[in-house]
Amino acid sequence: MGKFVLKKKISTVALVIFLMLPVFAQSQDSNFGNWLIYIGNKKLNQKWNLHHEVQYRNYNAIGDLEQLLLRTGLGYTFNEGKNNVLLGYGYILSENYLDETDDKTSVNEHRIFQQFISKQTLGNVSLSHRYRFEQRFVESDFKMRFRYFLAFKLPFKTKEKENSKFYLSAYNEIFLNTKSSIFDRNRVYGGLGYNLNKNIRIEAGYMNQFFETSSRDQFNIISFVNF
């Protein structure tokens, strides 16, 4: 009976996400792509951690590189593990199409960023707030940007009222430039996750990234690994 209830809940969530897809991209030009994401965290001691991340972003299902993102950083945890501050560096290679042609140009970006993460629990829901400030060296141009990320994770319950290995995940992230135009983009994500063990979990979900006049849809596959 417990497995049946769990499967029913997963099917219901998947249906809701599927029905929401047209709403996220309504009245905007949109193209569907795929992001493969690895996020790792190495705990150096009770306070310090090393963050590392790889994202392989495609214009389509796979094989048409849109962006390769490599990110690392050194973090410090305090307030009984509820807060973390981190100083990081990122390298981003973008392959941009030229004026609706099949030709591409490569753009290199080096990025320094500072971030603050605050975690809290409301009942069975885990909330995470992330504030990030970026200094971006894009070829010969210099830009700065602020990002706010709000995420929640809700585990499914089994018949015995224990947390299942499956969970529902969702987030919204807004990007704001320090110069005009202020609004850069917004990302909305919803997906299903599975805890392989206490150190590894995987997620698969849909993300819509929209700008002022257009949007892009991505199917995300994400792995989280703690060492």
Side-chain angles (χ1 to χ4, degrees):
M1 181 65 178
K3 291 184 178 179
F4 173 76
V5 173
L6 177 59
K7 289 181 180 179
K8 185 176 180 180
K9 287 183 177 180
I10 294 174
S11 299
T12 301
V13 172
L15 178 61
V16 170
I17 293 173
F18 176 76
L19 292 175
M20 289 175 68
L21 302 189
V23 177
F24 289 143
Q26 185 177 7
S27 72
Q28 297 183 2
D29 296 328
S30 180
N31 297 296
F32 192 77
N34 177 44
W35 289 14
L36 301 176
I37 303 172
Y38 163 80
I39 298 176
N41 184 66
K42 170 65 176 176
K43 195 172 182 180
L44 302 177
N45 55 40
Q46 290 298 109
K47 296 293 185 180
W48 296 92
N49 69 286
L50 183 64
H51 173 86
H52 47 284
E53 181 178 342
V54 180
Q55 297 193 25
Y56 186 82
R57 303 172 177 178
N58 289 273
Y59 283 105
N60 50 32
I62 196 167
D64 188 6
L65 178 65
E66 177 183 6
Q67 197 171 71
L68 173 65
L69 186 149
L70 307 175
R71 192 153 41 204
T72 188
L74 181 64
Y76 179 79
T77 301
F78 60 100
N79 192 20
E80 299 179 345
K82 297 178 182 179
N83 301 113
N84 180 272
V85 291
L86 183 140
L87 175 63
Y89 163 79
Y91 168 74
I92 299 91
L93 170 64
S94 300
E95 295 285 340
N96 300 329
Y97 280 103
L98 297 173
D99 299 326
E100 299 182 357
T101 69
D102 293 332
D103 298 324
K104 281 185 173 182
T105 182
S106 297
V107 178
N108 292 280
E109 176 181 346
H110 298 274
R111 185 181 300 174
I112 300 171
F113 65 95
Q114 305 81 40
Q115 73 178 29
F116 171 73
I117 293 178
S118 176
K119 298 180 180 180
Q120 62 185 124
T121 302
L122 296 176
N124 206 32
V125 179
S126 298
L127 291 175
S128 178
H129 305 264
R130 185 180 71 200
Y131 308 85
R132 179 180 289 173
F133 185 54
E134 299 175 329
Q135 299 83 53
R136 307 171 59 205
F137 301 85
V138 186
E139 297 292 346
S140 58
D141 196 9
F142 176 71
K143 306 176 181 179
M144 291 190 293
R145 184 170 64 185
F146 174 77
R147 301 165 57 167
Y148 171 65
F149 173 95
L150 172 62
F152 82 85
K153 186 171 68 171
L154 175 65
F156 291 103
K157 288 289 188 179
T158 64
K159 183 181 178 181
E160 295 76 17
K161 296 185 179 180
E162 297 178 351
N163 286 348
S164 166
K165 289 189 175 182
F166 288 95
Y167 62 89
L168 173 66
S169 177
Y171 73 74
N172 187 87
E173 184 173 22
I174 187 170
F175 297 63
L176 300 174
N177 297 310
T178 58
K179 298 180 179 179
S180 58
S181 66
I182 300 299
F183 177 77
D184 186 276
R185 68 193 67 190
N186 193 84
R187 292 175 181 168
V188 179
Y189 168 86
L192 291 172
Y194 182 78
N195 294 298
L196 293 174
N197 54 49
K198 65 178 182 179
N199 294 320
I200 302 175
R201 59 188 172 96
I202 57 175
E203 286 184 21
Y206 163 85
M207 185 190 76
N208 178 257
Q209 180 173 217
F210 59 90
F211 308 87
E212 288 186 0
T213 58
S214 65
S215 74
R216 282 192 54 79
D217 303 309
Q218 281 88 22
F219 177 72
N220 290 358
I221 300 176
I222 313 169
S223 63
F224 300 86
V225 180
N226 293 318
F227 296 93

